[in-house]
């Protein structure tokens, strides 16, 4: 793997180092714009996902060969590579992306990572996690919560509000404990398609609608369109 990847860098500057800010500003640039390595472009979300994001994955204990769970950066699988290409194309065309697949594709983990990245690097944004029921929404919310907690401190924000049923506000607090907002993660339940106006009143950078095969989502999607439609697409 390339030494351009954060996970392969042997010595990470600590906060006391004069190299600290420049190093992480360069990482932020790769997360936002991507990086080209040996002529191959790695999109920003994919770089973020396999270098800075954390999730629970299976591994085999080398002693007794039992299967355990570890909180770690994800593997770079074909799944992530293909999704990253489709995301890049969707952004180029100013379109959304519909992902349909079997179990173990990792859709929930990918959705969580995408919400985590956008709420971390884009100031002043609203980023929506939605679905047809509380159970599905809680899965995504838990993934995002875990991933945000495990970011490097340079990228990790305080929680000005931390209600995973309604709204999480990322930001920072000064010495007087006054909070300053950076971005929001909104939670909305379309209630099996009965609450079509769940996304009303939002202006979205990111719109995730999970498990659309479980409910009649089309009217919900149509009602949500004004929230993420802009002069740019």
């Amino acid at each position: 793997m390339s030494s351009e990847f954060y996970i392969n860098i042997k010595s990470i500057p600590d906060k006391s180092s004069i190299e600290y800010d420049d190093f992480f500003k360069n990482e932020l640039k790769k997360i936002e714009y991507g990086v080209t390595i040996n002529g191959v472009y790695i999109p920003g979300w994919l770089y973020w996902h396999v270098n800075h994001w954390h999730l629970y994955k299976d591994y085999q204990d080398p002693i007794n060969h039992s299967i355990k769970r570890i909180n770690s950066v994800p593997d770079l699988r074909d799944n992530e590579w293909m999704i990253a290409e489709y995301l890049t194309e969707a952004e180029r065309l100013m379109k959304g992306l519909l992902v349909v697949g079997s179990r173990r594709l990792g859709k929930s983990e990918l959705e969580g990572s995408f919400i985590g990245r956008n709420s971390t690097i884009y100031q002043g944004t609203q980023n929506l996690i939605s679905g047809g029921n509380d159970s599905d929404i809680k899965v995504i919310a838990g993934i995002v919560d875990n991933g945000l907690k495990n970011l490097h401190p340079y990228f990790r924000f305080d929680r000005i509000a931390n209600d995973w049923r309604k709204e999480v506000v990322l930001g920072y607090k000064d010495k007087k404990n006054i909070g300053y907002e950076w971005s929001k993660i909104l939670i909305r339940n379309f209630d099996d398609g009965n609450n079509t106006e769940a996304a009303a009143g939002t202006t979205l950078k990111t719109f995730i609608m999970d498990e659309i095969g479980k409910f009649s989502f089309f009217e919900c999607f149509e009602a949500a369109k004004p929230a993420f439609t802009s002069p740019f697409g």
Side-chain angles (χ1 to χ4, degrees):
M1 294 288 281
S2 170
S3 60
E4 285 275 357
F5 271 34
Y6 178 80
I7 55 173
N8 295 326
I9 298 173
K10 302 300 182 183
S11 179
I12 307 296
D14 61 32
K15 199 169 184 178
S16 63
S17 170
I18 60 173
E19 300 171 338
Y20 181 83
D21 281 339
D22 287 341
F23 176 88
F24 280 103
K25 284 178 181 177
N26 188 52
E27 282 300 299
L28 183 61
K29 183 178 179 181
K30 288 186 278 188
I31 290 168
E32 183 169 1
Y33 300 108
V35 60
T36 299
I37 300 172
N38 295 327
V40 178
Y41 175 66
I42 311 296
W45 168 76
L46 184 60
Y47 184 86
W48 155 273
H49 187 68
V50 299
N51 285 281
H52 292 282
W53 195 242
H54 282 71
L55 50 77
Y56 283 97
K57 65 181 183 181
D58 295 336
Y59 84 104
Q60 189 172 48
D61 190 307
I63 297 175
N64 65 4
H65 305 294
S66 63
I67 305 302
K68 299 181 179 179
R69 299 282 278 170
I70 184 173
N71 196 11
S72 175
V73 292
D75 298 320
L76 177 53
R77 308 177 301 167
D78 289 346
N79 292 357
E80 283 76 16
W81 187 267
M82 289 187 293
I83 293 295
E85 288 188 335
Y86 291 132
L87 277 171
T88 300
E89 182 67 3
E91 290 175 351
R92 185 184 72 82
L93 297 173
M94 295 183 288
K95 300 289 186 180
L97 180 65
L98 176 64
V99 179
V100 180
S102 62
R103 292 187 181 276
R104 309 294 293 179
L105 177 64
K107 298 186 295 295
S108 297
E109 300 289 0
L110 298 174
E111 289 170 332
S113 172
F114 194 65
I115 286 280
R117 171 183 177 267
N118 287 1
S119 59
T120 296
I121 69 172
Y122 295 120
Q123 185 177 11
T125 58
Q126 296 181 1
N127 305 277
L128 178 65
I129 300 170
S130 69
N133 61 72
D134 281 335
S135 296
D136 289 335
I137 292 170
K138 284 179 181 178
V139 171
I140 309 296
I143 290 168
V144 178
D145 185 34
N146 176 69
L148 292 175
K149 286 177 179 175
N150 284 280
L151 291 174
H152 187 278
Y154 186 88
F155 301 112
R156 189 169 63 238
F157 285 99
D158 295 329
R159 307 281 178 90
I160 309 303
N162 196 39
D163 185 351
W164 286 100
R165 295 168 301 175
K166 296 180 181 179
E167 179 178 286
V168 175
V169 179
L170 304 183
Y172 63 95
K173 295 180 180 179
D174 63 17
K175 294 180 180 179
K176 297 180 179 179
N177 207 36
I178 297 174
Y180 296 87
E181 179 182 315
W182 174 263
S183 68
K184 290 181 178 179
I185 300 171
L186 308 177
I187 315 297
R188 298 291 186 270
N189 186 347
F190 286 109
D191 188 24
D192 292 324
N194 296 310
N195 183 16
T196 59
E197 297 295 324
T202 61
T203 303
L204 302 177
K205 168 66 177 176
T206 316
F207 176 59
I208 295 291
M209 185 184 284
D210 189 48
E211 296 288 3
I212 60 172
K214 292 183 178 180
F215 66 100
S216 180
F217 76 93
F218 188 73
E219 288 186 12
C220 303
F221 176 77
E222 285 296 309
K225 270 187 178 180
F228 55 87
T229 301
S230 78
F232 305 104

